[in-house]
Structures are given as structure tokens and as C-alpha cells.
Amino acid sequence: MSTAEHAGDAGHPGHPGHPGHAGHAGDVVVTLEVGQNKELPAVPAAPGQPRDREMHAILEIGVTRAADRTDPVTGAAHRPGPALAEVLIVDTSRSMLHPATKLRAAKDATTAALRLLPEGSRFAVLSGRFDATVVHPGPGHDGMAVAGPAERAAAERAVRILDADGGTAIGHWLDLARRLLSGQSAPVKHVLLLTDGRNEHDHRAAMPLDTALDACDGRFVCDAWGIGDDWDADLLLRITRRLHGRAGAVRREADLTGVYETLVSGLLGKALPELRIRLTPTAGTVIRQVKQVVPGEQELPPAVPESGGRGTEYVTRAWGEETRHFQVVLSADPTGRATGEDLQLAAVEVVVPDFGHTVRLPAPRPVLVHWTDNPLDASRPHPAIHRHQLYQQASAAVGRAYRAWLRRAEGRAEADRRLAHALALARELGDAHLLGALARIEAAPGTGRFRDGLKDVDWQHLILSSAMTTPPEPPAAGPPPPVPPDPPGTDDPAPAGPGGLIECPDCGWIGPADSVYCGGDCGRPLRRTR
């Protein structure tokens, strides 16, 4: 595995963190915390129920870099990062010409991404239709191009003359990217895919999407973005959840260049190409599930441990300086176990591959159980687990609202109910991003009803937003601020302006005085809710 050190071990002679070891101790620091309610009932709630109990725990894993090192000659800060091999896939199906601004935006964004690739990076640009074509380095060239002034200029020229025709068969696009990246040694292999369609020609593809995802899983990370008015949020999420990436979309074609620049800049700052969660259960404990829950839900299948042993490893990829949360579900039988004391169900470790930099790893942490005869002790879910349950419910409510909306008049009442439920859950979560996305759908703030004139793409944006998750905000330091008294004769309204209107102090949106949430871009609360 990696050139790594565990916390507390760095002073041991011969250890990778020792000053005599090649490399720089502490280039990357990984932290690990385990959150759980340890209490589980020792007896079934009713006769005939299974004896096994499920323990849910949240792993909070953070990755940071050590302070920038300074070059002794130039004085410039030096932040080493893993090398990158990048494939940019441009949808060039016929629909990209309707309107043509989509294809122009795709060309602008792709060339902007090319300009950001560091010298020596391997890259390729693909055009995707019924099949996939290497736009650059082009016919007669094996493998991928090497970034430099001449190669970038040639790639930009090839991108600028792209035309659009044919259909959409994304499985073949991804498989060609896999074949190109398979010969690369770069620690971070990444695909950035753009589409405006719904993969409607999968049945005609030389490589169907399901087959391609099976072949590509574990080979690279893929971010997938939608443009225009006819992309499919579920398709983007299906791809990115399987390939460890993130899904997004732009509301305006002109925004795509900025998005691509941000994405590529983030890739260049990746701190770890891969991180593995190793779970070693104690006798009688079974691992039921491991999945990422922040910043988005993603199932993690077990992988073959690289170091042998009893543990089971779960692979996560392409870490920047960030924190992610993972939910672990274990089951165990309390029969014959002691009650009233903490017992270990499993040990959690973090391991990383060797990519040329020293990584400071946390010490292993236990997942515990405290068998109890008091049902009240076992009835309190851990706050992070409860928060993820709320996100699952909110995402499901959005999906049901959309499906009801598709039934038009027949489904309107159900769509309103589901939307109101999603709004209530978003308020409980305190998720400003989700509240803002829901505000774009709601007819007027506080009504809990969807507005007239919605397009399908409005719902697709909301589905993507409901798939994003955030941890709770950390409590502010010091005593909480005083709560202002309610204005006389009102039910927590914000001060009303002339004509019974209210103005959002953040974005300037003006709406009815009884609005609970801003109906503009920020979606912030305007009144306290109970």
C-alpha cells in the first residue's frame, strides 16, 4: 500500500514518517471519526422476530494537505499533486444543433478545459454519436496526446470544427474512454462527459450502457453534465454513482465554460487518487452495507483486500481537500453477549495506495455496541444517520412529485402534496441549496404547490439538487444569538414593505408579505418556522 504513517507512529526509526525516509512526511493528512448511537436492544421487540440487530454508524473521513512548501530557490509555493489523464467527451448528436448555442458552448468549454491541462498531462477529446470518435489526437495516433502548446492548439482546432449529427449511445462513448485510459499510468484517470440527450439509442450501441458501466467501474472517475432542455437527471446520476463522479447541469449554455474551468482546476488539486475503507468485523458480526452519503449517495461494493487478512475493503476515488460521510450497516446477535458495557463490532481503518507522497493516516477506530434492556436507550438515532434518512425521504418525495406532475391534471393534487412534503423535509434539514431548488418549482413561497408553466427540465434540475447532500453546519462558537421577538399581530413574518410586499435582504427578490421563503435565487427563509 502507500508510503503512509499512522498518527502517533511518526517517530519510530525506519517508519515512513521518520525524517530519514524519502519524501515529505505529512504531505496529505487523513482524519477518521465514527459517529453512532451504540445502544441496541438485547431482546426482540416481539416474539418471533429475528435475534440479529442492525448497527448503523457514520464514518466521517477528511483529507487535507499539509501547509504549502516553498521552493528554496524561487520562493514559490509547491503543492504536489497526482498526475492526471483526462478524456473530454462532447455530445455531437444532431440535437446539439437545436439550438446551435449548445454545440458552441460545448466547444468553448472544452477548449477552456484543454488550456488548463498541465504540461505533460495525457489527454484525448472524443465526439459522441451512435458511436464514438477520437477527435484528438486523431486518426493514425495510438493512445492519448501529451499536453503542450502545440498539442493544445491542435486539439482546439479539431474541437472548433466539430459538427453534430446522429443519435446518442453513451455506453460506446464510455467504453472508448476506458480503452484509451487503460494504458495510462497516471494516478488520477478522469472522464468529463457532456450530453443534452437521454441515451435513446442504447439499443443500437455496440456497447450498451449497462455493459459499459460494468467494464468501466473502477477504471476511472466520471463526471457527467447536462446541457439544454432534454437531458435526463436519472441517467447522469446512474453514470456518476457507478463511476465515483458527480452529476450536474447548467441552466444557461454560457455558464458551461466556467463550470468546466472549475471542474478541471479541482482535478489538478486532487490530494489522493484513491482511498480504501477497511472494515474488520469481530466474530459473529456481518457487514450488511457500506455507502457514501455525503456529498451524494453511492453504494460501495466490497473489493478484494490488497494486503490480505480478515478485513473487507471499500474503494473510494479522487479525493481533493474535502470531507465525506459514509454509512456502515453491521448486524450481530446479542445472544450470550454481555449487557451494560461497550463491545466492539468491527474495526475501521483507512488505507491508501502508494502514489509517491507520504500520507498521515489516522489510527483505527472501533464500531461499538452497547446491548441494553432499556428500549428508550436504543430508540435515539445518531443525528448524522437521521439526517441521511431525511435526505432519502426528500429525494423520494421529489421523484414522486415529478411522476405525479407527468400525469398533468390527474396528478396535480398528488404532485402538490409531494412537493409540500419535500419542502418540509428541506426546512428540517436546513439545506439552503435544496430549498432554493424547490423555490424554483413552487408557485409562490409558502404555498406548497408547483407553479404553472413548468418544463420537464425544471424537474430534472430539482432531481439533481435533491441527490446532493450536505453535513449539518457546525455550531457557532460562543452563545447563540438572541431570538428577536415576533412583530405584533403576526405569525413570525418578516417586516412587510409598502403594498403588502417583502424584500429578501440577500438577493433583493420582492414577493408577498406572508412569504415564508425567498422566491428568488437564494431561497433563504424569510420567516422563522415552527
Side-chain angles (χ1 to χ4, degrees):
M1 297 301 289
S2 69
T3 302
E5 58 180 73
H6 282 285
D9 293 340
H12 293 181
H15 187 274
H18 189 270
H21 189 276
H24 302 269
D27 279 353
V28 179
V29 179
V30 182
T31 59
L32 168 65
E33 299 295 336
V34 177
Q36 60 174 135
N37 174 24
K38 297 179 292 186
E39 285 80 9
L40 284 180
V43 295
Q49 289 191 346
R51 296 287 302 178
D52 279 10
R53 299 286 180 272
E54 283 192 348
M55 170 57 70
H56 294 246
I58 293 291
L59 312 182
E60 182 176 324
I61 299 177
V63 171
T64 57
R65 289 184 186 272
D68 294 353
R69 299 196 306 276
T70 302
D71 187 288
V73 177
T74 66
H78 174 58
R79 302 191 68 182
L84 171 69
E86 178 70 20
V87 176
L88 299 162
I89 303 179
V90 183
D91 185 337
T92 55
S93 60
R94 186 180 295 111
S95 58
M96 287 289 285
L97 295 175
H98 305 286
T101 51
K102 289 188 290 188
L103 186 58
R104 287 199 295 271
K107 293 177 181 181
D108 290 343
T110 303
T111 56
L114 290 169
R115 292 168 189 161
L116 289 174
L117 294 177
E119 299 290 308
S121 299
R122 299 280 179 169
F123 75 96
V125 182
L126 306 187
S127 166
R129 301 181 182 180
F130 288 125
D131 56 7
T133 305
V134 179
V135 174
H136 188 82
H141 293 81
D142 293 331
M144 299 171 66
V146 180
E151 287 291 342
R152 287 196 201 90
E156 288 186 28
R157 289 194 297 271
V159 168
R160 288 297 177 192
I161 62 173
L162 281 174
D163 199 1
D165 196 9
T168 304
I170 294 175
H172 193 69
W173 310 355
L174 292 172
D175 187 58
L176 178 54
R178 177 191 64 81
R179 284 181 274 137
L180 288 168
L181 289 168
S182 64
Q184 302 303 317
S185 60
V188 176
K189 301 179 179 67
H190 183 263
V191 172
L192 181 50
L193 184 154
L194 177 73
T195 183
D196 74 331
R198 295 178 176 263
N199 201 39
E200 64 266 28
H201 298 106
D202 192 58
H203 63 287
R204 295 180 52 179
M207 175 71 76
L209 182 58
D210 283 340
T211 306
L213 291 176
D214 287 341
C216 296
D217 191 7
R219 305 300 181 88
F220 56 80
V221 173
C222 179
D223 292 332
W225 281 76
I227 189 172
D229 292 339
D230 198 35
W231 49 272
D232 181 0
D234 287 335
L235 171 66
L236 301 185
L237 290 168
R238 179 180 162 200
I239 294 169
T240 55
R241 283 172 173 166
R242 187 68 183 276
L243 302 181
H244 295 254
R246 300 191 184 184
V250 290
R251 293 183 181 274
R252 301 183 309 163
E253 287 92 347
D255 294 338
L256 188 64
T257 294
V259 166
Y260 267 37
E261 290 173 338
T262 299
L263 288 171
V264 175
S265 296
L267 286 169
L268 303 181
K270 289 300 181 187
L272 290 175
E274 179 183 300
L275 180 151
R276 290 183 173 223
I277 300 167
R278 180 185 295 159
L279 293 177
T280 305
T282 57
T285 300
V286 177
I287 303 171
R288 296 296 183 190
Q289 185 183 48
V290 178
K291 64 179 178 180
Q292 178 181 288
V293 294
V294 174
E297 187 168 312
Q298 182 180 83
E299 292 287 340
L300 299 181
V304 177
E306 294 192 357
S307 57
R310 293 181 53 241
T312 302
E313 295 182 356
Y314 299 83
V315 181
T316 68
R317 301 187 187 280
W319 285 70
E321 294 191 80
E322 59 182 306
T323 298
R324 302 183 196 175
H325 291 187
F326 301 86
Q327 184 173 4
V328 172
V329 182
L330 308 172
S331 68
D333 183 348
T335 302
R337 303 300 179 103
T339 60
E341 62 180 277
D342 289 350
L343 304 173
Q344 182 168 305
L345 289 177
V348 184
E349 295 177 85
V350 173
V351 292
V352 297
D354 186 355
F355 68 104
H357 299 287
T358 301
V359 180
R360 186 171 178 82
L361 297 175
R365 301 280 191 270
V367 178
L368 302 174
V369 66
H370 189 103
W371 299 111
T372 177
D373 295 324
N374 185 345
L376 292 179
D377 290 342
S379 64
R380 304 183 305 272
H382 186 271
I385 294 170
H386 177 63
R387 184 174 180 83
H388 177 57
Q389 291 170 341
L390 294 179
Y391 271 116
Q392 287 182 313
Q393 295 169 25
S395 181
V398 167
R400 292 185 182 113
Y402 170 59
R403 290 190 291 274
W405 175 83
L406 290 173
R407 306 202 313 264
R408 304 308 178 192
E410 179 187 350
R412 174 145 201 150
E414 182 184 353
D416 285 341
R417 287 196 303 272
R418 301 296 187 183
L419 180 63
H421 186 207
L423 281 160
L425 291 164
R427 287 194 291 268
E428 185 174 352
L429 286 162
D431 189 320
H433 174 80
L434 181 55
L435 284 168
L438 288 162
R440 292 177 177 270
I441 297 291
E442 197 177 14
T447 63
R449 297 191 300 272
F450 69 82
R451 62 179 172 85
D452 294 329
L454 285 175
K455 298 179 180 179
D456 190 88
V457 70
D458 297 319
W459 288 97
Q460 300 304 320
H461 280 288
L462 178 58
I463 290 168
L464 283 187
S465 295
S466 70
M468 297 173 60
T469 57
T470 62
E473 291 291 331
V483 178
D486 295 346
T490 64
D491 182 18
D492 290 337
L501 299 176
I502 188 172
E503 181 175 357
C504 174
D506 282 358
C507 70
W509 174 84
I510 297 176
D514 61 351
S515 301
V516 177
Y517 288 90
C518 170
D521 289 339
C522 70
R524 60 156 284 174
L526 299 177
R527 297 192 299 159
R528 296 194 310 278
T529 57
R530 294 187 175 93

